[in-house]
Amino acid sequence: MGVYFQVEEYHRPQDLAQAVDILSRFGNRAKVIAGGTDILPLRPGVKKLDTIHHLVDISKLGLNFVKKENDHICIGAATDINTISASPLFLSGPYGALSDAAGAHSTATIRNRATVGGNLCNASSCADLALPLLVMDAMLVAAGPKGARHIPIESFFKGANFSALNKEEVLLEILIHSCSEKTGTSFLKLRRHQTAIDMAVVNVATSLSCKKNRCEAAGIALGAVAPIPFRAKKAESVLVGANLSKEVIRKASAMAAEEAKPIDDVRATAAYRKKMVAVLVRRSLENSMRRCGQ
Amino acid sequence: MPDSHIAVGKSLQRIDGVDKVTGSAKYAADIKLVNMLHAKLLRSPHAHAKVIRIDTSAAQKLPGVRAFATIFEAPKVIEYWFSLRTEKKKKQMFLRDNVVRFIGDPVLAVAADDQQTLDKALSLVKVEYESLPALQDPFKAMEETDVKIHSRGNIAFKVKKAYGDIHKGFKNADIIIENRYRTSKQKHAALEPFGTCVAHYQSNGKLTVYSSTQLPHWSRHYLAGALELPLNKVRVIKPHTGGSFGGRCGLIHGLEVMCSWLSRRTGRPVRMSFTREEDFIATETRHPMTIRMKTGATRDGILTGNEVKIVSDVGGYGTHYIGVIADCLSTGVGLYKIPNYSFSATAVFTNKSPGGALRGYGNPQMNFAQESQMDIMAEKLGIDPLELRLKNYRRLGEIDPVLNEEIRSNGLKECLEKGAASSGWEKKRRQKPIKGTMKRGIGLSIMLHGTGAGKALPDPAAATVMINADGSVNLVTAAADEGQGNRTVLAQIASETLGIEFDKISVSETDTETTPLDCGTHGSRQAYCGGLAVRAAATEAREKLLAYAKKELGVIEDQLRIKEGAIFEAKNPDNKILIISGRVIHSDAP
Amino acid sequence: MKKVDIKIHVNGDWYELAVDPGDRLIDVLRDQLDLTGTKEGCGEGECGACTVNLDGQAVLSCLILAAQADGCKILTIEGLQRGPELHPMQKAFVSESALQCGYCTPGMIMAAVALINNEPEPDENTIRKNLSNNLCRCSGYDRPVKAVLKAANDMKEDINA
C-alpha cells in the first residue's frame, strides 16, 4: 500500500542493562518498543522525512508478568493488556477498576500486543490504564543508567504525551499496594460509539474505602478532560469522612466536573465532556460502593 | 425450459467463495509482475494553486529512481461516460494544465525500485506553487467571477425543469412549507482502499492495466484516450475487488493514467497503490448538496406543488455531477405525482476533493430532503405520514414525466401496507410518548432508484455463452463483481436458461480483451441488464444445440432436456444423445 | 539502515529472512513470502483486514515489526487448509454466505480461528467482542457471527467424532 515505516536500526537488547545503554547512546533518536501498537501507526510524511532512527525492543526482557507479593502486586511494564484483563487478581473489588480498564482498552486483538507500560509511557490524557492506577496510588519503577528509581504515578504524567521518564530510562514495573477488602474500585469509559476501537471521550476511575456507610478514603481520576490524567482532589475531599448518600455522591460528581478542564475536539465539545464527567463519576462511585460491599 | 427450477430461486454458494476464504483470490495489490516498479504520487498541499515549476533534478540522482510523470504531460480524466457519445465530447474528457484544485490533487508521479526510494525521491522533488484563493463554499463559488477553478468558470452545470405551473400549484395549496436541507461529503470506505493499479506497457505498444473498476470497458476507453492509444492496444483486467459502492466507476483520480504513463516511460510494469489516507482525501466522494424545498398541499393531504432548488458541491473535478442531479430530478418527479413542479439545480466547482458516484448517486440527498419534507408536511396537516405517501405516490398506469413512459409495475402500496402491518406501525404511532430521556420512534421513507442508466447514457449489456463438448459451459461477461455476487447470479441465469446444472457453469475473468462490450456494474444493473443479455445468449446457445439434437432424436425442442452432458427426450430419457459425441445412444447400446 | 536477520515459522515451515528494521510483519508475509491472502486495509490497526495468528493469538500484522516476530509461530489464511480440505471456519464462512467482496474475510477468519482455538465454545457476545477489530463494509456482522458459531459447533463434533 505504500505505507512505509522508516527506521534506521532495530535493537534487541539481551538484558535491561543493554537496553538502557542503547538508549543512553542514542538519546532522542531512540525509542522503546514493546507491543508496538502506538509506535507503528506513527508514519512519516513525505515532505519531512521523520525517521525513527533507533528502536529498542524490550518485549522479551522478562517484563511480561503479574505477580502477587506479600503486600503488593507487581505488574511488568511489558505485560500485554489482555493478560491484565484476564488476571484473576484484578477481578475483585479493590482492583476491579484495572480489570474494567483493561477490558475497555481498544479491542481484544490489539490488547494481545499492547502493553500497560506502553499505555502509560504514551502518556495520553485518556490513557485507560492510567486512571485505575492513579486511584490505586500505584508506584512506577523505572530503570536508567544510574539504576532504578521509583516514581509515584501522580508525578508520572507531565503533559500531553509527555512523561517523567528520561530518554535513557525504561519503565520496568508497576507496583500496586495491597488493598483492604473494604475498598471498591471501578472504571468507566465513554466513547462516541461504544463498540468501536475509539479513544475515550471521557474516562474515569474511582476508588472508595468504606466502613459501614462512611467513606474512609476516596480516589477519583479523570481522563480526556485535561492535558494529563489526574486526580480530582476537591471532589475526593467531599467524600472523605462523609456518609455515602445519594446527595454526597452527586455533590462529589458535580465537583469533579468542575475540576475537569476539557477542550473541544473532533470527538466532543468541552461542554459535553464536563457534563459527562459528572455522569460517569456518579456511576463509577456507585459501582465502587457496591464493590466494597456497601 | 425445464419443469422445475434448477438454479434461480435456489440458495447456491457464490462461485468465488472458496477463493476468498482461502486467500487465493487476487486483488490488485496482490498482483506481482516480474521486474515490477513501485510508484507514488506527490500531492498538492494547496487547495488551489498554479504549479509554476517542477524540479526533479535532485530526485533523479537517487539510485533506484526510474521515471517521473507530471500533470504537464499526463492528462487528468475530468468527464465520464456521458462524453463517450461523440468524438468531440471525448476530447473534452482530458485536461492537461498546470493547476491543482484541492489538497491532495496529484502534481507528479515517480517510479522507483522500492518504497523507501519512492519516499526519499518525493522528498527531494521541488515544486514551485503560486497559491490561488481557494473557494470552499459552493454558494460563494457560484457568484465568484475573479477566481475561476476551471477555465469555463465555477458553474459546472445548471439545469431548470418545469412541469405544470408552480405558481398555480402554490395558489391551490392550503398549506405551504419551506425548508433547507444539507447533506455531507460521504466516503465509500470500502475495505480495499481506492485504489491500486498495476500497469504494464509492453514493447509491442500494448498496455495492460490491472485495476479494480466497475466499468472495465469504459476504463479501457478512458485510458486509450488519455494515452492516445488505439483501443485494441489497451487491455483492462479487473481482479477481485474489495468493494466499490460507486467509487470505482471508471478510473481513480491520478491512479491508472499516471501509472500507465510511468510504465510506458520505463518499459516495465509499475504498481501504484494508494494508502487509506489518500483514499479519504483525494478520491471521489458523494456530492454534498443544499436542497431548498417549498411544498404546497391541500388540507386533505394532496400535494399541489413542489419547488426544488439544489446546489451541488462538485469539488475540484467532477465526473458524475450531471447524472447525480438527473437522479435527483427523476426521484423527485417520478416518485410522487405532483402536478406542478419546479426543479432547478446548479453544480458548482469548489476546491475540495472530487465528487463522484456513491451508492444511490443523487437519490440519498434528494430522498433525505423529500422524505423529511413529507414528514413535516404530515405533521402540519395532522395526517399519518404513511397515509400521506399513499395519497400522493405515482401509481401504475401513470406516465413518469422524466422517462416519458408508462409505469408498468408498481408494488409500492403493497410494500407500504405490508411494512406497516409487520412493524406495528398503527399501534406504535398511536402510543403516547414515553417519559424519560430515552425515546422510541418509528418512521418510514419511500424511494425510487433507477436500475442502470436507461436512455441517459451508453449502457450496453452483452454476454457470450459457450457450451463445451462435455456439456459444461463457459459464460463470458464483463460484469464487474465488486462483492455483490453478480457473476454468481449471471451463472444462475445461464444455468436456468440452458437447463444445465449450476456447477457446470464457469464465469470468465473480467478482462476487456475477451469479453463483449458491457457497461459494467453500476446502478444495480447487472442482475437485470446483464441478466437479460445472459438469458438471450443462453437461449440462443440452447436453441442451436437442441436444433441439432432434434434432427438426431426426432423430437421437438420443447420435449428435450439437457442434463449431465446429454440431451434426452423428457418422456423417454433413454432416447438421448451425448453432446460430446453427437451420437444417439440407446439404453442397451454399449 | 541495518538489515535484521530473523527466523520465523509460517504455516508450518521455518524461514530465515533478512528484513529492514521498518518492515512490518504484513510486508514480509505479502512481499517476501508471497502470502498475499493477508490484506492491508488501513495500515493503522483500525480495520483488521491484516489479522493473522502469532503464537496462537489474533494480532494485527500491520502493527508488528517483522523483527519482533523473530522466533514466533505465524499462521495466515493460507495455512488453514489441509491440502484441498478447507478448515471448518472457511467452510462455515462459505456455507453461511458470510462474505461478499471478501477483503475483510481472511482477517475475520483468522481472528475467529484464534478465538475458537483459545475458547472452543464462545457465545455470541464473546464472538462479537473478539471480532470487533474486523470491519466489514459489505456484509455486516450477523452472518460472520453465525459462521463462527457454526464452525465452533462443527469443530466440537469433529473432536467428539
Side-chain angles (χ1 to χ4, degrees), chain B residues 99-121:
Chain B
V99 182
V100 286
R101 296 174 171 84
F102 65 92
I103 296 175
D105 200 0
V107 176
L108 71 58
V110 58
D113 290 354
D114 52 53
Q115 307 281 9
Q116 298 113 282
T117 312
L118 282 178
D119 282 341
K120 284 202 185 91

Side-chain angles (χ1 to χ4, degrees), chain B residues 192-352:
Chain B
E192 182 195 0
F194 298 166
T196 298
C197 172
V198 178
H200 190 191
Y201 188 90
Q202 289 159 279
S203 0
N204 61 1
K206 178 87 171 268
L207 171 69
T208 301
V209 166
Y210 298 83
S211 183
S212 269
T213 161
Q214 292 171 232
L215 317 173
H217 280 279
W218 294 167
S219 287
R220 182 192 190 208
H221 274 77
Y222 308 146
L223 280 168
L227 276 89
E228 290 171 74
L229 291 169
L231 284 167
N232 69 318
K233 291 290 197 181
V234 180
R235 177 181 184 186
V236 173
I237 301 173
K238 182 199 91 64
H240 283 279
T241 305
S244 295
F245 317 122
R248 300 192 218 249
C249 275
L251 305 179
I252 307 277
H253 189 75
L255 179 67
E256 295 93 338
V257 173
M258 282 292 196
C259 198
S260 302
W261 210 273
L262 290 171
S263 181
R264 182 160 64 178
R265 196 153 268 175
T266 58
R268 289 169 66 171
V270 176
R271 186 210 286 170
M272 187 186 287
S273 196
F274 288 176
T275 63
R276 176 63 65 183
E277 189 181 346
E278 290 179 279
D279 177 341
F280 262 107
I281 68 168
T283 69
E284 290 183 356
T285 72
R286 191 183 288 293
H287 284 78
M289 288 187 190
T290 302
I291 302 178
R292 281 183 12 236
M293 209 174 267
K294 184 173 168 186
T295 314
T298 64
R299 205 158 287 121
D300 302 327
I302 305 296
L303 300 175
T304 58
N306 203 16
E307 181 185 73
V308 177
K309 292 182 178 157
I310 299 180
V311 171
S312 180
D313 187 343
V314 177
Y317 304 91
T319 49
H320 290 268
Y321 51 85
I322 297 176
V324 162
I325 284 174
D327 221 18
C328 297
L329 174 67
S330 66
T331 217
V333 176
L335 190 56
Y336 290 108
K337 184 180 175 182
I338 306 174
N340 306 292
Y341 207 103
S342 162
F343 180 93
S344 75
T346 313
V348 189
F349 289 120
T350 56
N351 292 116
K352 290 181 249 182

Side-chain angles (χ1 to χ4, degrees), chain A residues 8 12 34 43 57 107 112, chain C residues 2 40 43 58 67-68 70 133:
Chain A
E8 246 180 63
R12 192 183 300 122
R43 272 192 308 285
D57 189 346
T107 65
N112 282 330
Chain C
K2 265 176 97 171
E40 184 160 4
Q68 289 194 294
D70 181 38
N133 213 125

Side-chain angles (χ1 to χ4, degrees), chain A residues 225-267:
Chain A
V225 291
I228 57 168
F230 70 101
R231 293 270 295 263
K233 293 281 166 74
K234 288 195 199 136
E236 290 171 5
S237 66
V238 169
L239 296 166
V240 176
N243 273 328
L244 292 168
S245 65
K246 260 196 168 149
E247 182 52 36
V248 166
I249 301 259
R250 192 208 60 77
K251 205 170 149 204
S253 310
M255 180 59 81
E258 264 182 57
E259 289 183 77
K261 304 268 174 280
I263 56 171
D264 292 337
D265 70 13
V266 292
R267 287 188 181 80

Side-chain angles (χ1 to χ4, degrees), chain B residues 51-73:
Chain B
V51 178
I52 306 296
R53 229 166 42 100
I54 301 174
D55 178 3
T56 59
S57 53
Q60 275 173 27
K61 296 197 187 94
L62 216 54
V65 170
R66 302 293 172 185
F68 292 91
T70 72
I71 53 169
F72 299 152
E73 340 157 69

Side-chain angles (χ1 to χ4, degrees), chain A:
Chain A
M1 191 192 278
V3 173
Y4 184 78
F5 185 60
Q6 305 256 17
V7 179
E8 246 180 63
E9 192 171 348
Y10 165 86
H11 303 264
R12 192 183 300 122
Q14 298 299 326
D15 53 42
L16 197 55
Q18 217 177 60
V20 169
D21 182 57
I22 297 167
L23 290 172
S24 307
R25 257 192 290 145
F26 295 110
N28 267 328
R29 290 160 63 223
K31 238 179 152 60
V32 164
I33 184 171
T37 54
D38 274 330
I39 300 276
L40 266 78
L42 299 176
R43 272 192 308 285
V46 168
K47 282 181 72 183
K48 198 174 91 177
L49 261 189
D50 293 349
T51 303
I52 293 178
H53 299 267
H54 296 270
L55 279 178
V56 183
D57 189 346
I58 61 160
S59 62
K60 291 184 174 137
L61 292 182
L63 294 174
N64 189 339
F65 62 82
V66 180
K67 278 194 292 227
K68 182 159 165 55
E69 312 283 5
N70 274 339
D71 61 350
H72 65 271
I73 296 174
C74 184
I75 308 174
T79 305
D80 65 87
I81 295 176
N82 261 344
T83 297
I84 294 177
S85 172
S87 169
L89 287 175
F90 306 126
L91 291 176
S92 65
Y95 312 106
L98 196 52
S99 183
D100 294 338
H105 179 285
S106 69
T107 65
T109 308
I110 288 181
R111 294 197 295 268
N112 282 330
R113 299 286 299 174
T115 63
V116 56
N119 193 228
L120 296 177
C121 294
N122 190 40
S124 162
S125 81
C126 66
D128 292 314
L129 276 82
L131 300 175
L133 294 173
L134 272 167
V135 297
M136 291 172 192
D137 286 315
M139 185 65 75
L140 307 182
V141 183
K146 298 196 189 95
R149 69 173 173 121
H150 284 55
I151 310 170
I153 191 158
E154 271 208 85
S155 316
F156 188 73
F157 303 106
K158 294 288 181 206
N161 297 112
F162 180 40
S163 80
L165 283 186
N166 297 323
K167 286 292 166 202
E168 329 82 61
E169 285 181 311
V170 177
L171 184 66
L172 277 190
E173 49 195 34
I174 297 134
L175 306 172
I176 308 170
H177 63 78
S178 295
C179 284
S180 84
E181 276 151 29
K182 296 256 175 49
T183 303
T185 64
S186 163
F187 165 93
L188 288 175
K189 177 174 182 177
L190 179 69
R191 284 176 272 214
R192 282 179 308 171
H193 306 288
Q194 294 298 72
T195 55
I197 200 177
D198 231 8
M199 285 157 58
V201 166
V202 173
N203 46 2
V204 312
T206 57
S207 167
L208 285 176
S209 300
C210 320
K211 201 165 189 166
K212 304 243 158 94
N213 217 23
R214 194 170 167 278
C215 173
E216 293 185 330
I220 299 175
L222 307 179
V225 291
I228 57 168
F230 70 101
R231 293 270 295 263
K233 293 281 166 74
K234 288 195 199 136
E236 290 171 5
S237 66
V238 169
L239 296 166
V240 176
N243 273 328
L244 292 168
S245 65
K246 260 196 168 149
E247 182 52 36
V248 166
I249 301 259
R250 192 208 60 77
K251 205 170 149 204
S253 310
M255 180 59 81
E258 264 182 57
E259 289 183 77
K261 304 268 174 280
I263 56 171
D264 292 337
D265 70 13
V266 292
R267 287 188 181 80
T269 60
Y272 180 70
R273 284 188 156 112
K274 250 190 192 286
K275 276 197 173 154
M276 292 303 109
V277 165
V279 173
L280 261 67
V281 168
R282 175 180 55 77
R283 290 182 187 174
S284 188
L285 285 171
E286 286 164 2
N287 287 348
S288 298
M289 271 180 76
R290 272 192 292 273
R291 283 179 178 171
C292 69
Q294 295 305 308

